[in-house]
C-alpha cells in the first residue's frame, strides 16, 4: 500500500470514530476539494482563463467546505453568502496587489526544478499566480465565517429578540476570541511550507533587501497577508449577514 | 462610552494614515540603502516580437524591449543609460517592465564613456510593505486589543522561527527535526500564554496540543517507514539544502501545530464556559460536549491547511502538465508531499478532539 493511501485510511477511520457522520462528511469534503482543485488545474492547462477558473472553483470549494462541514442551514447559509462576498473582495485585492508586486512564475532559486522543462507555456503566469493566491485563502475564509455564524446562531437560539447592534457586537466578540489562534493557524501553515526556503535564505545570508525583493518570498507574503486580511473582514461581514437574514426572512425566525 | 471609543479609533486611524504616507514615501526613496544599483524606467519601447513554439506545441512570444533608465543610487546616481530586456509573454522567469517601474541592475560598467548594464530584477519592496501596513491597520482598527495581541504573537513566532533556523544552520549535524520540534514547543507555549494568559486553561490547551501533534507525527513517521515511503517523493521537495526526510517531518510538525492549537483552544474555551454556567457539570458531559464542538471544527480546519499546501504547488504543477507529463506523474512530483503533509496534519487535528476534551474534563469535571 502506498503511504498516501495508508495515511488517508488512518485519517478516515479516525474522523469517523471521532465525528461519526460529520467526520465522514469532513473526509469527503477533502476529497471533493482535491478533485475540484485538480480539475481546475486541467482547465487552466487547456487555456481557460485562470482567474475565471479560480473564481468558479472558489464558489464550489466554499460551498463544499461549508455545507459539508455542518448541517444547520441557519449557520451555513449566512456563512456561505458572507464568505462569497469576502472571497470576491479578496479576489479584487489579489488582482490589484499581484499587478503591483509581479511575483508570477519562478525565481532563480527554482532553477534546479526547472531543469529540462519548457517554461514558455503560453499561459500568463501572472493569472496563474492570482488563481493560486486566491485558492489558498479560501479555507481560512470558510473557517472564520463558520465560526462567527455558528456562534451567532447559538446566541439567537437563546435570545431571539436581541437588537441588531448587540448581535453585531457579539459577532465582533467572537471575532476577537478566534483571531489570535486563527492567525497562528495561518502563520504555522505557511511556516510549515516555507521552512526549507528560509533555511536557504538564511544559510546563504541573503540580505533583508534581497529577501524583500525576492519573487518567492513576495508571493508567499502576499498570500499570508491577504489571508490575514480575509479572516479579519470575514468577522464583520458574517455578523452583518446573519443580522440581514434575520431581518429579511419571510417568516421572521421560523423559515431560515 | 461609544463616543470615546469612536474618538480612540479615529486617533488611531489618523496615526496609521500618517505612518502610511511616511512609509510610502520612504519605500519609494530607499534606494541608497541598497548596495545593488537601482534605476527607474523612464521609457519602454518594444523592439521585436518573435513567435516561439516548444516541442510540446506550446505557443509563446519572445519580446525584446528597449528601456531608457535613470540611475537612483551609487556613484552614477542621476546618470541615464539604455538597456535591452528580453522576456516571454507568459513571463515565467523574466518579465516586462513599464514606465515608472524601478529595477535592479547587474554588471553596471562604464565603457568608452557609456554606461552599460543588465536588468536583473524588479524592485517590489514598496507594494509588499504597504500591504503589510494595510493588514495591520485592518487588524488593529477592527479588532482592537485582541487584534494587537494576535499580531504580537505572530511577530514573536516569526522571531522564534528565525532563531530556530539560525540554530539549525549553526549545528548542521544535529537532527533538524528535533531542533524544530523544540522550537514548536516554544512556539505553542508562547502563543498560548499571549492569547490565553498563564492560566489552567492554557495548560490544558498546551498539553493537548503537544500530545496530539506528537502522536500524529510519530504515528505518521511509523506509517511512512512501514510503507517504505512508497509514493512519497522526497526528491520533489523544493529548496532543500539539508537531508530532506527530517526536514519534511519538521515542516509537517510546524504546519499542523497552529491548527491543532486553534482547535484545542476553541474546545477548552467552550468547556470552561459550560463549567461557569453549570458548576456541577459531570466529567462525562464535559467530554461529550468537547467532542461535539471538535467534530464540527475539524473539517474546516483540515481544509484550511489542505488549501494552503496544495495551492502552493499550482504554478509548478501547471508547468508539468504543459510539458506533456501525465496527470499521475504531475501529482507525484508536485502534490504528493503536500498531500502527505495535509493528511498528517489532519490526523493531528482529529486526535486533538478526544485528547483536549479528556484533559479539560479531568481538569474541570466532577467525577461520578
Amino acid at each position: 500500500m502506498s503511504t498516501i493511501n495508508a495515511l488517508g485510511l488512518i485519517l478516515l477511520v479516525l474522523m469517523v470514530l471521532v465525528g461519526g457522520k460529520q467526520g465522514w462528511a469532513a473526509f469527503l469534503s477533502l476529497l471533493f476539494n482535491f478533485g475540484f482543485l485538480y480539475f481546475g488545474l486541467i482547465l487552466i492547462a487547456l487555456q481557460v482563463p485562470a482567474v475565471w477558473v479560480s473564481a468558479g472553483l472558489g464558489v464550489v470549494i466554499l460551498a463544499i467546505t461549508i455545507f459539508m462541514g455542518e448541517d444547520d442551514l441557519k449557520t451555513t447559509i449566512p456563512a456561505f453568502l458572507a464568505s462569497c462576498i469576502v472571497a470576491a473582495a479578496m479576489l479584487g485585492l489579489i488582482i490589484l496587489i499581484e499587478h503591483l508586486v509581479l511575483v508570477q512564475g519562478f525565481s532563480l532559486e527554482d532553477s534546479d526544478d526547472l531543469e529540462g522543462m519548457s517554461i514558455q507555456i503560453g499561459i500568463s503566469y501572472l493569472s496563474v499566480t492570482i488563481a493560486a493566491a486566491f485558492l489558498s485563502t479560501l479555507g481560512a475564509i470558510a473557517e472564520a465565517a463558520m465560526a462567527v455564524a455558528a456562534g451567532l446562531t447559538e446566541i439567537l437560539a437563546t435570545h431571539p429578540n436581541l437588537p441588531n447592534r448587540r448581535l453585531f457586537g457579539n459577532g465582533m466578540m467572537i471575532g476577537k476570541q478566534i483571531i489570535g489562534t486563527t492567525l497562528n493557524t495561518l502563520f504555522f501553515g505557511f511556516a510549515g511550507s516555507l521552512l526549507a526556503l528560509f533555511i536557504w535564505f538564511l544559510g546563504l545570508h541573503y540580505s533583508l533587501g534581497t529577501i524583500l525583493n525576492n519573487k518567492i518570498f513576495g508571493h508567499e507574503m502576499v498570500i499570508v497577508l491577504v489571508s490575514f486580511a480575509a479572516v479579519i473582514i470575514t468577522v464583520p461581514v458574517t455578523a452583518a449577514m446573519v443580522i440581514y437574514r434575520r431581518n429579511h426572512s419571510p417568516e421572521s425566525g421560523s423559515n431560515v | 462610552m461609544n463616543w470615546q471609543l469612536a474618538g480612540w479609533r479615529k486617533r488611531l486611524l489618523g496615526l496609521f494614515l500618517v505612518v502610511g504616507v511616511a512609509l510610502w514615501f520612504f519605500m519609494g526613496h530607499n534606494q541608497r540603502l541598497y548596495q545593488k544599483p537601482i534605476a527607474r524606467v523612464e521609457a519602454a519601447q518594444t523592439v521585436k516580437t518573435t513567435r516561439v513554439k516548444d516541442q510540446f506545441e506550446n505557443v509563446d512570444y519572445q519580446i525584446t524591449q528597449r528601456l531608457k533608465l535613470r540611475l537612483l543610487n551609487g556613484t552614477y546616481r542621476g546618470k541615464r543609460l539604455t538597456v535591452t530586456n528580453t522576456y516571454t509573454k507568459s513571463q515565467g522567469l523574466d518579465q516586462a517592465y513599464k514606465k515608472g517601474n524601478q529595477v535592479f541592475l547587474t554588471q553596471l560598467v562604464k565603457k568608452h564613456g557609456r554606461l552599460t548594464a543588465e536588468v536583473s530584477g524588479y524592485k517590489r519592496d514598496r507594494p509588499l510593505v504597504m500591504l503589510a501596513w494595510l493588514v495591520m491597520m485592518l487588524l488593529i482598527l477592527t479588532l482592537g486589543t485582541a487584534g494587537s495581541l494576535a499580531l504580537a504573537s505572530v511577530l514573536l513566532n516569526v522571531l522564534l522561527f528565525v532563531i530556530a533556523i539560525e540554530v539549525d544552520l549553526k549545528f548542521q549535524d544535529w537532527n533538524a527535526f528535533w531542533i524544530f520540534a523544540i522550537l514548536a514547543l516554544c512556539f505553542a507555549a508562547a502563543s498560548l500564554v499571549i492569547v490565553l494568559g498563564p492560566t489552567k486553561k492554557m495548560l490544558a490547551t498546551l498539553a493537548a496540543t503537544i500530545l496530539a501533534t506528537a502522536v500524529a507525527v510519530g504515528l505518521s513517521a511509523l506509517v511512512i517507514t512501514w510503507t517504505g515511503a512508497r509514493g512519497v517523493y522526497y526528491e520533489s521537495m523544493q529548496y532543500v539544502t539539508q537531508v530532506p526526510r527530517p526536514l519534511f517531518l519538521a515542516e509537517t510538525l510546524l504546519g499542523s501545530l497552529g491548527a491543532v492549537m486553534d482547535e484545542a483552544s476553541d474546545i477548552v474555551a467552550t468547556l470552561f464556559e459550560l463549567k461557569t454556567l453549570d458548576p456541577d457539570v459531570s466529567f462525562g458531559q464535559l467530554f461529550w460536549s468537547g467532542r461535539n464542538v471538535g467534530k464540527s471544527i475539524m473539517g474546516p480546519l483540515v481544509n484550511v491547511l489542505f488549501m494552503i499546501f496544495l495551492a502552493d504547488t499550482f504554478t509548478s504543477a501547471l508547468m508539468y502538465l504543459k510539458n506533456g507529463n501525465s496527470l499521475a506523474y504531475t501529482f507525484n512530483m508536485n502534490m504528493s508531499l503536500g498531500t502527505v503533509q495535509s493528511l498528517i496534519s489532519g490526523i493531528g487535528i482529529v486526535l486533538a478532539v478526544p485528547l483536549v476534551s479528556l484533559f479539560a474534563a479531568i481538569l474541570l469535571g466532577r467525577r461520578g
Side-chain angles (χ1 to χ4, degrees):
Chain A
M1 195 193 290
S2 87
T3 306
I4 291 183
N5 290 340
L7 288 173
L9 200 65
I10 293 176
L11 181 64
L12 171 63
V13 169
L14 283 175
M15 277 187 154
V16 172
L17 276 183
V18 171
K21 217 181 107 220
Q22 219 168 349
W24 166 242
F27 188 81
L28 273 187
S29 78
L30 268 182
L31 278 185
F32 285 165
N33 277 344
F34 174 76
F36 277 104
L37 210 64
Y38 212 113
F39 177 64
L41 189 68
I42 295 168
L43 285 183
I44 296 173
L46 294 171
Q47 310 275 1
V48 184
V51 177
W52 290 106
V53 171
S54 73
L57 271 184
V59 177
V60 174
I61 288 174
L62 285 174
I64 290 174
T65 311
I66 291 173
F67 289 111
M68 292 189 72
E70 170 73 53
D71 291 330
D72 183 8
L73 286 180
K74 276 187 199 130
T75 305
T76 48
I77 291 177
F80 175 66
L81 294 175
S83 51
C84 285
I85 294 173
V86 175
M90 287 303 117
L91 185 58
L93 178 65
I94 291 170
I95 290 174
L96 174 76
I97 197 80
E98 293 287 357
H99 278 91
L100 293 174
V101 291
L102 300 174
V103 288
Q104 71 281 358
F106 303 97
S107 175
L108 286 177
E109 289 81 5
D110 292 307
S111 307
D112 270 2
D113 302 319
L114 297 178
E115 212 163 296
M117 290 278 180
S118 159
I119 57 166
Q120 307 186 342
I121 59 172
I123 294 173
S124 157
Y125 280 99
L126 186 60
S127 65
V128 176
T129 303
I130 291 171
F134 175 64
L135 292 172
S136 59
T137 61
L138 292 176
I141 297 176
E143 206 241 330
M146 284 290 282
V148 175
L152 288 183
T153 313
E154 198 75 55
I155 292 172
L156 269 182
T158 44
H159 310 281
N161 296 318
L162 212 62
N164 292 341
R165 230 190 144 77
R166 284 278 302 279
L167 200 57
F168 190 78
N170 281 320
M172 295 307 284
M173 253 342 266
I174 297 174
K176 284 176 185 172
Q177 281 167 15
I178 62 168
I179 195 73
T181 48
T182 307
L183 293 197
N184 275 313
T185 302
L186 293 172
F187 168 78
F188 282 114
F190 286 106
S193 58
L194 289 177
L195 184 57
L197 181 71
F198 275 91
I199 291 178
W200 175 311
F201 282 175
L202 294 180
L204 293 183
H205 303 289
Y206 278 33
S207 70
L208 183 64
T210 313
I211 294 178
L212 270 180
N213 290 289
N214 180 279
K215 258 187 175 179
I216 313 169
F217 176 80
H219 173 60
E220 299 293 339
M221 272 313 277
V222 168
I223 301 182
V224 176
L225 290 169
V226 171
S227 305
F228 281 11
V231 171
I232 300 164
I233 67 166
T234 300
V235 175
V237 172
T238 310
M241 184 55 78
V242 171
I243 293 167
Y244 178 84
R245 290 193 56 86
R246 177 179 73 158
N247 297 345
H248 292 78
S249 56
E251 296 154 65
S252 207
S254 62
N255 190 1
V256 178
Chain B
M1 173 70 194
N2 249 329
W3 278 104
Q4 275 176 350
L5 205 69
W8 169 82
R9 222 160 251 193
K10 226 182 259 172
R11 272 203 296 280
L12 209 56
L13 178 65
L15 181 70
F16 263 113
L17 290 179
V18 171
V19 171
V21 171
L23 210 56
W24 174 261
F25 185 81
F26 171 73
M27 295 313 291
H29 297 84
N30 62 354
Q31 293 84 4
R32 283 188 222 201
L33 297 179
Y34 283 92
Q35 305 281 322
K36 287 185 222 163
I38 298 172
R40 181 186 286 114
V41 179
E42 296 204 310
Q45 189 191 3
T46 301
V47 201
K48 199 176 74 179
T49 304
T50 349
R51 192 169 181 272
V52 286
K53 200 181 201 181
D54 64 15
Q55 69 267 42
F56 308 106
E57 304 288 307
N58 296 315
V59 176
D60 213 321
Y61 294 88
Q62 196 142 52
I63 302 159
T64 308
Q65 55 177 186
R66 186 175 293 135
L67 304 172
K68 287 208 168 73
L69 304 176
R70 203 163 84 101
L71 279 158
L72 299 171
N73 61 355
T75 32
Y76 301 115
R77 186 165 180 257
K79 296 275 187 299
R80 289 191 165 75
L81 71 158
T82 306
V83 298
T84 51
N85 172 47
T86 307
Y87 65 93
T88 42
K89 194 167 169 237
S90 56
Q91 306 191 61
L93 260 175
D94 37 32
Q95 68 184 71
Y97 295 103
K98 288 199 277 277
K99 192 182 160 197
N101 287 165
Q102 294 188 12
V103 295
F104 289 102
L105 302 176
T106 49
Q107 291 158 357
L108 177 67
V109 283
K110 198 163 197 171
K111 252 190 274 174
H112 315 300
R114 286 181 63 133
L115 284 171
T116 59
E118 275 185 38
V119 180
S120 69
Y122 174 68
K123 186 171 179 290
R124 49 174 65 84
D125 54 354
R126 172 142 87 171
L128 214 52
V129 169
M130 293 318 288
L131 180 65
W133 164 81
L134 181 73
V135 172
M136 280 184 202
M137 183 167 81
L138 258 176
L139 181 61
I140 293 173
L141 286 182
T142 40
L143 296 169
T145 321
S148 322
L149 280 180
L151 183 67
S153 82
V154 169
L155 291 180
L156 179 70
N157 283 338
V158 172
L159 187 71
L160 284 175
F161 185 61
V162 172
I163 292 173
I165 292 176
E166 293 291 356
V167 171
D168 174 67
L169 288 167
K170 274 250 154 52
F171 304 97
Q172 292 271 5
D173 45 335
W174 292 7
N175 188 320
F177 175 74
W178 291 109
I179 295 178
F180 289 102
I182 293 168
L183 161 79
L185 268 179
C186 305
F187 265 143
S191 328
L192 287 175
V193 169
I194 290 184
V195 178
L196 297 176
T199 50
K200 250 165 97 177
K201 229 183 194 175
M202 179 235 124
L203 271 183
T205 318
L206 183 64
T209 303
I210 292 170
L211 201 62
T213 318
V215 171
V217 173
L219 182 71
S220 307
L222 278 182
V223 171
I224 293 175
T225 314
W226 282 336
T227 51
R230 206 132 61 80
V232 185
Y233 296 87
Y234 289 118
E235 69 270 27
S236 69
M237 210 172 149
Q238 283 177 304
Y239 318 124
V240 189
T241 45
Q242 303 181 342
V243 192
R245 209 187 109 124
L247 199 60
F248 174 71
L249 280 180
E251 288 196 346
T252 308
L253 178 73
L254 283 183
S256 60
L257 187 72
V260 173
M261 211 153 60
D262 189 343
E263 184 189 46
S265 50
D266 279 359
I267 296 175
V268 169
T270 313
L271 296 189
F272 270 74
E273 196 89 337
L274 261 180
K275 175 77 178 177
T276 35
L277 288 177
D278 175 13
D280 287 334
V281 67
S282 75
F283 176 87
Q285 277 169 306
L286 281 170
F287 184 77
W288 190 252
S289 318
R291 185 182 158 258
N292 272 339
V293 177
K295 72 179 188 188
S296 62
I297 336 177
M298 65 186 192
L301 267 180
V302 181
N303 273 308
V304 171
L305 291 183
F306 188 64
M307 297 311 285
I308 292 178
F309 292 151
L310 282 195
D312 221 23
T313 61
F314 228 59
T315 307
S316 160
L318 182 70
M319 185 193 60
Y320 268 75
L321 284 180
K322 294 301 275 183
N323 273 262
N325 292 300
S326 70
L327 291 179
Y329 184 72
T330 302
F331 173 82
N332 287 340
M333 283 300 132
N334 293 288
M335 297 174 170
S336 73
L337 287 179
T339 307
V340 171
Q341 234 173 338
S342 311
L343 290 173
I344 299 177
S345 308
I347 293 172
I349 289 168
V350 180
L351 278 178
V353 176
L355 284 175
V356 182
S357 308
L358 185 71
F359 286 164
I362 291 173
L363 211 62
L364 294 173
R366 176 180 54 79
R367 249 159 253 251

